[in-house]
Amino acid sequence: MSAAISDLRNEYTLSGLDTTDVLSDPIAQFRLWFDAALNAHVPEPNAMHVSTVTAEGRPDGRIVLLKDVSDTGFTFFTNYESRKGKELTARPFATLTFFYPELERQIRIEGRVEKVSPEESDAYFNSRPRGSQIGAWVSQQSTVIDSRSVLENRQRELEAQFAGQPVPRPPYWGGFRVIPDVLEFWQGRPSRLHDRIRYRKDGDNWLIERLSP
């Protein structure tokens, strides 16, 4: 190893963030930062870390792609029978984390989770490339398999089965929506004195607070 991990550090100097800088609506503020990430050509700006909790109370996380944001919440799609799908069904709360190192920014979102309607899941599934549609049928996500050939053989079977016809959405595949009650916008600053602005739901209103770094 060429350098000690403990010696790796960056000084954040691009910008600052104050309560007077942010919009009153946290969803609008998210869109503002998301658009900035798009304009900065951040790779996969919709990639987010989704945190769940197991039955034993252990945290569990993975990277998932955000597919929609609205005034209602943040939506992504998955296999409902996967590990994260089962965890979200049993304990319907999650935290989402976006990190944009090019902009020295991070966004954290906490909230309860609900499944989207079958119609919403159908609409998104029908917009996916055909290979991804078949892939949703191929993978029994999070289960143990003997080898990659299991997937490849199943893929060939399903391509033959659905040849010449639309691929239907698997009944176990669909969307989750995270309905936020906390959003935090983090802007890196020098000397680790970062700016943290938190929106916290209070009835029908959002409280805007500055947090110590």
Side-chain angles (χ1 to χ4, degrees):
M1 187 177 297
S2 58
I5 293 176
S6 60
D7 290 335
L8 297 175
R9 58 177 55 86
N10 288 320
E11 193 76 346
Y12 300 119
T13 60
L14 283 180
S15 184
L17 186 67
D18 193 73
T19 54
T20 59
D21 298 326
V22 297
L23 302 174
S24 59
D25 178 1
I27 304 298
Q29 182 64 36
F30 173 86
R31 289 194 176 103
L32 187 68
W33 275 27
F34 186 84
D35 287 345
L38 283 173
N39 293 332
H41 304 290
V42 172
E44 293 200 289
N46 59 330
M48 60 186 182
H49 183 270
V50 179
S51 299
T52 56
V53 178
T54 69
E56 297 74 30
R58 298 179 62 159
D60 191 14
R62 74 291 290 160
I63 303 299
V64 177
L65 297 180
L66 177 72
K67 287 301 178 181
D68 185 58
V69 57
S70 68
D71 292 340
T72 307
F74 299 80
T75 301
F76 63 93
F77 294 84
T78 190
N79 186 319
Y80 288 142
E81 296 178 359
S82 66
R83 179 171 174 173
K84 65 179 171 295
K86 291 177 180 178
E87 289 170 358
L88 288 169
T89 300
R91 287 159 293 282
F93 295 92
T95 297
L96 313 177
T97 306
F98 297 82
F99 183 48
Y100 302 140
E102 295 85 352
L103 301 176
E104 300 175 355
R105 288 175 173 175
Q106 175 182 266
I107 307 169
R108 293 180 63 254
I109 300 161
E110 302 174 26
R112 66 181 178 87
V113 176
E114 65 179 16
K115 289 182 178 179
V116 307
S117 69
E119 292 77 16
E120 288 177 85
S121 292
D122 285 341
Y124 174 68
F125 187 83
N126 292 336
S127 75
R128 302 181 88 204
R130 186 176 179 87
S132 297
Q133 293 176 336
I134 290 177
W137 283 95
V138 170
S139 175
Q140 296 178 323
Q141 195 174 77
S142 302
T143 61
V144 176
I145 58 175
D146 292 333
S147 68
R148 183 169 182 83
S149 63
V150 173
L151 301 177
E152 294 169 346
N153 292 338
R154 181 64 175 153
Q155 181 181 24
R156 285 191 289 270
E157 292 172 2
L158 287 163
E159 286 173 346
Q161 178 180 333
F162 294 126
Q165 60 180 298
V167 180
R169 176 176 64 89
Y172 50 79
W173 191 97
F176 283 110
R177 179 177 292 113
V178 178
I179 303 167
D181 49 40
V182 174
L183 297 92
E184 181 190 315
F185 294 82
W186 177 99
Q187 181 72 58
R189 297 298 302 275
S191 302
R192 295 298 186 263
L193 296 177
H194 311 304
D195 289 328
R196 298 173 62 192
I197 304 300
R198 180 177 68 184
Y199 294 78
R200 182 165 54 86
K201 194 75 171 176
D202 182 31
D204 293 331
N205 301 314
W206 288 99
L207 299 179
I208 302 177
E209 304 163 312
R210 170 178 282 276
L211 303 180
S212 181

